[in-house]
Amino acid sequence: RSVYDDQPNAHQKFMEKLDACIRNHDREIEKMCNFHHQGFVDAITELLKVRADAEKLKVQVTDTNRRLQDAGKEVIAQTEEIIRCRVQQRNITTVVEKLQLCLPVLEMYSKLKEQMSVKRYYSALKTMEQLENLYLPRVSQYRFCQIMIENLPKLREEIKEISMSDLKDFLESIRKHSDRIGETAMKQAQQQKTFSTALQKQNNVNYGRNMHLGRNRILESKNEITLKRTFEDEDEHEEEVLTAQDLVDFSPVYRCLHIYSVLGDGEIFENYYRKQRRKQARLVLQPQSSMHETVEGYRRYFSQIVGFFVVEDHILHVTQGLVTRTYTDELWNMALSKIIAVLRTHSSYCNDPDLVLELKNLIVVFADTLQGYGFPVNRLFDLLFEIRDQYNETLLKKWSGLFRDIFEADNYSPIPVANEEEYRIVTSKFPFQDPELDKQSFPKKLPMSQSVPQIYMQVKEFIYASLKFSESLHRSSTEIDDMLRKSTNLLLTRTLSSCLQNLIKKPHIGLTELVQIIINTTHLEQACKYLEDFISNITNISQLTVHTARLYGLSTFKDARHAAEGEIYTKLNQKIDEFIQIADYDWTMSESDGRASGYLMDLINFLRSTFQVFTHLPGKVAQTACMSACQHLSMSLMQMLLDSELKQISMGAIQQFNLDVIQCELFASSEPVPGFQGDTLQLAFIDLRQSRPALPHPFMVWDWSTYLADYGQATSKYLRVNPSTALTLLEKMKDSSKKNNIFAQFRKNDRDKQKLIETVVKQLRSLVNGMSQHA
């Protein structure tokens, strides 16, 4: 501590004390060594003595060992021979024992190979199972057993691959044979339905015959024999018809299912099978783009689908778990939605009603077939109602063409009948009754033209065609009756009505043809009640039933008649306009010709001959046409006077125009169409008649003071004379007078008339201005 305390000379003192301590320890060590030295020397001496004895002992042992070895060589040789023999004996015994254990294993493995070679894979799996569980564990320590154990999984995989390959071949096979399977199934369903229908009819006949005894009992026995033969024929036919199992070998499915079940992969196999079948279902449900062109395309499509589900139904009933009812129902619902969508699309392309009808029959057989296998098909029958609308549309298009052809070929003249036979031929096609006509002798003419019985027969043919679609739809007679009436209403109100309207609007249809069209529609309208009776007889539904629809043909033919009447009015007016256009008035002529214009006389003669054709029309139609023509003629003559391009009118022109108006009035008073009361027809020219006082001529005295004084009063003599019209005419006359003023100024009478015209013009202008301000 003194060293660390840093005392003066502490280090030197410490070293001195340390040296003293070292010297003391050296002395103690030296004492200890001196004390043990003698014992060490004695021990060394004793070891030297022992070494000499050990050398001697070694020599003796070596010698003894040499002598012993020489003496035991023979014994050793004999002993080794004995040991070798005993080992061989033991080995032979062991080999025999092991061979007895291995031989069954080898035999089983050989059996396994043989089963593999003959494709008995299910038995091979059973053999593998015995090898693994019973034989191989006994000899598992041997190398060949290890090789076997290693090969068994490979053999299992090989069996799985082979069975899967067979399954793929099977799936390919049923894909190819689906259409044939479906075709066979659909034929069987159709034959079964036909047989059931025949059997039902036979039972109905037998029921009627059971009301009689005696001779009819023999007939009943004959019927029973016939029915029995029918059953036998049906049985024979069923034996001849191949089933799905006859057409396709299902053993690959069973084998593959058993193999995968044994291997514990049954679920994998089920999933694979269902997945592949779903893919095949999508392929089957995919139609060809040209399927809608022929019925064979639809038949092949339906056959493939039926074949697919017949196979699935067979698999459902002969296997456990591979296909379930839930799975098939789900698959069918998916397929049904796709089928309905495909049929909706492709049926919309069909323009041939015969093809649509065949499609309907195929759908019915298709639905009946799958319904027989337990699949719900209500949606298919609902689809048929949509296709029925499409069928009706195609029928309507077809019948539209037929109607057009009939109208084009018609001569629009009454049907001539030379004798009773021809008359019966016509009345057999069309329900025509006319007691007055029956009293007439042959030859005679029926009022309608040839198109009427043809149209009537075509409507009946349409009803038959529409009825064909309603068959086999599992609908009541009331529903069928309703469908027929609705489709017939569409034919009448849309197709026939459109054809009639287009016919009436055709430019080549003249007045004579239009008159005949009106007569034809009248007879067709009267025949509608016979069409209703015809439908009732087909469906056995009375017209007195509450829900029975009625035919709307009455409105159709009435509309056509109204259109024809309107077209008659239009064509008459057009013809009048044509005559008016050829009118060639000399508005500056000094004097009239003294007789009516030639164009007007031609027009009146045309109207007389035309109205004679109207004798077969209803009186109101002829009267309306006559009145319309006269009014149009009056308006056209008035417009001729008021034409803005006509700037002046001479006295002579006024006189000539007046003669034409008088001729028009004479025509109206001659009653060209009977039935007018009093002067009704002459009123069409009243505007012209009352305007004539405004037209000065030598034979009439001007009466302007009366007109101006009574204007606006109900009792006015010239109530229908418009001030604007009178003003326009007088201004044109005024201009004409001014043009001839050089010669008129020498005649006092002309100067007075000119002044009167100017005065009246001023008064009329004031009257017109006052009316406009008041308005």
Side-chain angles (χ1 to χ4, degrees):
R1 291 181 61 184
S2 60
V3 174
Y4 292 104
D5 292 339
D6 198 22
Q7 296 179 3
N9 300 320
H11 183 268
Q12 184 177 1
K13 291 179 180 181
F14 175 74
M15 294 301 297
E16 290 176 356
K17 289 181 179 180
L18 185 60
D19 290 339
C21 185
I22 290 171
R23 286 193 295 271
N24 290 333
H25 283 294
D26 288 341
R27 283 194 294 272
E28 290 179 359
I29 291 170
E30 185 177 355
K31 288 180 181 181
M32 185 174 292
C33 290
N34 291 331
F35 177 76
H36 293 288
H37 177 72
Q38 187 59 43
F40 177 74
V41 173
D42 294 340
I44 293 299
T45 302
E46 290 179 0
L47 284 173
L48 291 174
K49 291 179 180 180
V50 170
R51 185 176 65 181
D53 295 337
E55 290 291 334
K56 292 180 181 179
L57 181 58
K58 179 179 179 182
V59 172
Q60 292 176 356
V61 170
T62 301
D63 184 60
T64 303
N65 180 57
R66 180 179 57 76
R67 291 197 302 271
L68 183 60
Q69 290 291 335
D70 294 338
K73 284 181 179 179
E74 186 68 23
V75 176
I76 291 172
Q78 293 295 328
T79 302
E80 288 179 351
E81 185 67 22
I82 292 172
I83 291 171
R84 187 167 57 255
C85 290
R86 288 182 176 177
V87 169
Q88 288 178 351
Q89 183 180 7
R90 186 172 64 252
N91 289 342
I92 290 172
T93 302
T94 303
V95 167
V96 171
E97 292 176 354
K98 298 302 181 182
L99 284 176
Q100 288 177 347
L101 291 175
C102 292
L103 280 175
V105 176
L106 296 174
E107 290 174 355
M108 291 296 290
Y109 195 77
S110 176
K111 181 181 178 181
L112 172 62
K113 287 293 186 180
E114 183 180 355
Q115 290 170 340
M116 291 287 292
S117 63
V118 296
K119 298 182 178 181
R120 295 173 56 193
Y121 301 116
Y122 184 72
S123 300
L125 289 175
K126 291 295 184 182
T127 303
M128 287 185 197
E129 187 176 352
Q130 291 180 0
L131 277 173
E132 284 182 330
N133 298 331
L134 184 61
Y135 293 98
L136 287 178
R138 300 176 184 174
V139 291
S140 60
Q141 67 273 22
Y142 300 110
R143 183 179 178 184
F144 78 92
C145 291
Q146 295 298 325
I147 295 175
M148 288 184 182
I149 293 172
E150 292 174 0
N151 284 338
L152 288 182
K154 297 179 181 179
L155 291 176
R156 282 196 177 92
E157 289 300 321
E158 182 180 352
I159 290 173
K160 287 175 67 174
E161 291 175 0
I162 293 173
S163 62
M164 185 58 68
S165 176
D166 292 343
L167 177 66
K168 291 178 180 178
D169 294 340
F170 164 79
L171 294 175
E172 181 66 20
S173 174
I174 60 173
R175 189 183 68 83
K176 293 179 179 179
H177 290 85
S178 287
D179 54 348
R180 190 178 175 192
I181 296 171
E183 183 180 356
T184 302
M186 291 174 70
K187 283 183 179 178
Q188 288 177 321
Q190 192 169 11
Q191 290 163 0
Q192 181 64 31
K193 183 177 181 179
T194 303
F195 177 75
S196 300
T197 304
L199 181 61
Q200 184 177 2
K201 291 181 179 179
Q202 189 68 41
N203 290 336
N204 293 336
V205 172
N206 289 339
Y207 176 77
R209 290 179 177 177
N210 285 338
M211 301 299 294
H212 304 280
L213 299 174
R215 182 175 61 85
N216 287 346
R217 290 182 178 176
I218 300 174
L219 295 177
E220 288 177 6
S221 62
K222 289 183 179 180
N223 289 334
E224 291 177 0
I225 294 172
T226 304
L227 192 59
K228 183 177 180 181
R229 288 178 181 173
T230 306
F231 275 117
E232 291 174 355
D233 294 342
E234 186 71 20
D235 293 338
E236 291 177 2
H237 191 73
E238 286 179 358
E239 291 177 1
E240 294 174 0
V241 175
L242 297 176
T243 62
Q245 196 166 2
D246 297 325
L247 294 171
V248 179
D249 180 17
F250 286 90
S251 59
V253 180
Y254 310 147
R255 184 165 53 247
C256 198
L257 175 62
H258 291 158
I259 288 172
Y260 272 77
S261 298
V262 169
L263 295 177
D265 293 335
E267 186 176 353
I268 295 176
F269 172 74
E270 292 172 8
N271 293 334
Y272 176 80
Y273 175 84
R274 295 180 183 182
K275 181 180 179 181
Q276 295 301 315
R277 289 297 279 166
R278 284 183 184 274
K279 289 181 179 179
Q280 287 190 346
R282 294 188 182 95
L283 292 176
V284 166
L285 294 171
Q286 189 67 31
Q288 295 182 352
S289 59
S290 60
M291 183 180 72
H292 62 277
E293 296 178 356
T294 61
V295 69
E296 289 302 322
Y298 287 108
R299 182 176 286 111
R300 185 162 51 251
Y301 180 69
F302 288 132
S303 297
Q304 290 178 350
I305 296 173
V306 171
F308 178 89
F309 283 100
V310 167
V311 169
E312 290 305 291
D313 182 78
H314 180 78
I315 295 293
L316 172 66
H317 288 90
V318 299
T319 61
Q320 269 190 335
L322 179 58
V323 174
T324 62
R325 175 56 68 181
T326 303
Y327 162 77
T328 56
D329 289 344
E330 179 185 352
L331 197 61
W332 169 244
N333 289 330
M334 180 273 293
L336 189 57
S337 300
K338 178 66 174 177
I339 292 168
I340 291 174
V342 167
L343 292 178
R344 278 177 180 157
T345 301
H346 283 264
S347 64
S348 63
Y349 299 146
C350 294
N351 296 320
D352 183 5
D354 295 332
L355 179 59
V356 178
L357 183 61
E358 291 183 358
L359 171 60
K360 166 258 174 182
N361 294 331
L362 281 176
I363 293 176
V364 170
V365 175
F366 172 73
D368 290 342
T369 303
L370 289 175
Q371 191 174 29
Y373 285 92
F375 295 100
V377 294
N378 292 333
R379 291 173 63 189
L380 284 175
F381 284 101
D382 294 338
L383 173 66
L384 284 175
F385 281 90
E386 299 179 22
I387 297 180
R388 180 198 64 189
D389 297 335
Q390 173 68 19
Y391 176 70
N392 286 336
E393 288 298 324
T394 58
L395 284 181
L396 293 175
K397 289 180 181 178
K398 179 179 179 181
W399 257 257
S400 177
L402 293 175
F403 290 152
R404 285 197 301 268
D405 294 341
I406 291 173
F407 290 139
E408 288 293 334
D410 195 7
N411 57 7
Y412 296 99
S413 60
I415 301 175
V417 286
N419 49 48
E420 183 70 26
E421 183 180 355
E422 292 183 4
Y423 181 76
R424 288 178 180 175
I425 292 175
V426 175
T427 54
S428 65
K429 297 179 180 178
F430 181 76
F432 174 75
Q433 296 176 355
D434 189 348
E436 295 297 328
L437 188 62
D438 292 341
K439 295 177 182 179
Q440 299 177 13
S441 59
F442 293 99
K444 52 188 175 182
K445 292 185 178 181
L446 303 182
M448 65 277 190
S449 67
Q450 193 64 46
S451 62
V452 172
Q454 293 177 353
I455 292 292
Y456 183 80
M457 292 300 296
Q458 286 301 328
V459 172
K460 292 175 69 174
E461 289 297 327
F462 176 87
I463 295 172
Y464 277 126
S466 183
L467 178 64
K468 289 180 181 178
F469 195 92
S470 302
E471 296 173 350
S472 305
L473 291 186
H474 309 298
R475 298 292 172 176
S476 64
S477 298
T478 304
E479 291 175 305
I480 294 176
D481 181 87
D482 185 64
M483 286 188 286
L484 288 180
R485 293 178 184 273
K486 287 181 178 179
S487 58
T488 307
N489 278 329
L490 281 177
L491 178 72
L492 296 176
T493 59
R494 195 172 76 183
T495 305
L496 182 55
S497 176
S498 176
C499 291
L500 284 171
Q501 297 291 340
N502 293 334
L503 174 67
I504 292 168
K505 297 296 182 183
K506 287 187 176 180
H508 71 274
I509 297 296
L511 292 172
T512 305
E513 288 81 1
L514 289 171
V515 170
Q516 188 62 54
I517 288 172
I518 292 176
I519 297 171
N520 290 348
T521 53
T522 302
H523 287 283
L524 286 171
E525 178 183 346
Q526 295 170 356
C528 284
K529 62 180 181 179
Y530 297 100
L531 289 176
E532 290 196 351
D533 294 338
F534 177 71
I535 295 175
S536 297
N537 292 334
I538 291 177
T539 58
N540 293 323
I541 298 297
S542 173
Q543 296 184 35
L544 301 178
T545 306
V546 177
H547 301 290
T548 302
R550 294 290 180 264
L551 295 184
Y552 303 142
L554 299 178
S555 60
T556 297
F557 298 122
K558 284 181 180 178
D559 293 341
R561 274 201 305 279
H562 292 159
E565 293 167 6
E567 195 66 20
I568 286 176
Y569 308 149
T570 302
K571 287 187 179 294
L572 272 176
N573 294 340
Q574 290 175 351
K575 199 67 179 178
I576 291 172
D577 291 339
E578 292 176 6
F579 280 100
I580 294 295
Q581 287 176 1
I582 63 176
D584 188 17
Y585 282 104
D586 182 6
W587 299 106
T588 61
M589 64 192 311
S590 58
E591 293 183 0
S592 67
D593 295 337
R595 62 180 181 274
S597 302
Y599 85 92
L600 188 68
M601 297 306 297
D602 293 338
L603 172 58
I604 290 175
N605 292 331
F606 164 77
L607 291 176
R608 288 186 189 279
S609 61
T610 300
F611 292 146
Q612 288 178 358
V613 180
F614 288 3
T615 54
H616 296 291
L617 288 177
K620 185 178 180 181
V621 176
Q623 293 169 12
T624 305
C626 185
M627 177 61 77
S628 173
C630 291
Q631 289 176 344
H632 185 73
L633 176 58
S634 174
M635 188 181 302
S636 299
L637 292 173
M638 180 64 75
Q639 289 176 353
M640 189 184 300
L641 288 175
L642 301 177
D643 189 1
S644 59
E645 295 182 0
L646 180 60
K647 302 299 183 181
Q648 56 188 5
I649 303 175
S650 67
M651 297 294 183
I654 292 299
Q655 294 170 1
Q656 183 64 43
F657 190 82
N658 185 57
L659 291 174
D660 292 345
V661 174
I662 292 173
Q663 200 61 237
C664 291
E665 290 178 335
L666 291 175
F667 168 73
S669 63
S670 67
E671 197 176 6
V673 172
F676 285 106
Q677 296 179 357
D679 298 335
T680 304
L681 186 58
Q682 298 178 29
L683 292 176
F685 299 99
I686 191 171
D687 290 341
L688 284 175
R689 184 188 304 125
Q690 291 195 2
S691 296
R692 281 189 300 173
L695 307 179
H697 55 83
F699 306 102
M700 298 190 66
V701 179
W702 288 22
D703 199 11
W704 287 111
S705 58
T706 303
Y707 172 74
L708 294 172
D710 295 344
Y711 178 76
Q713 298 180 10
T715 58
S716 175
K717 181 179 178 181
Y718 306 107
L719 182 64
R720 299 179 67 87
V721 177
N722 190 296
S724 300
T725 303
L727 177 61
T728 302
L729 293 174
L730 285 177
E731 285 181 341
K732 292 181 180 182
M733 293 172 61
K734 175 184 174 184
D735 293 338
S736 177
S737 298
K738 285 182 179 180
K739 183 177 181 181
N740 300 322
N741 193 30
I742 298 175
F743 303 99
Q745 63 184 351
F746 299 107
R747 296 191 294 271
K748 185 177 183 299
N749 189 28
D750 291 338
R751 288 198 305 271
D752 294 340
K753 287 183 179 180
Q754 181 66 27
K755 290 179 181 180
L756 178 59
I757 290 175
E758 292 177 354
T759 302
V760 174
V761 165
K762 291 179 181 179
Q763 292 176 345
L764 286 175
R765 188 175 288 117
S766 300
L767 183 61
V768 170
N769 293 334
M771 291 173 58
S772 61
Q773 292 175 2
H774 181 71

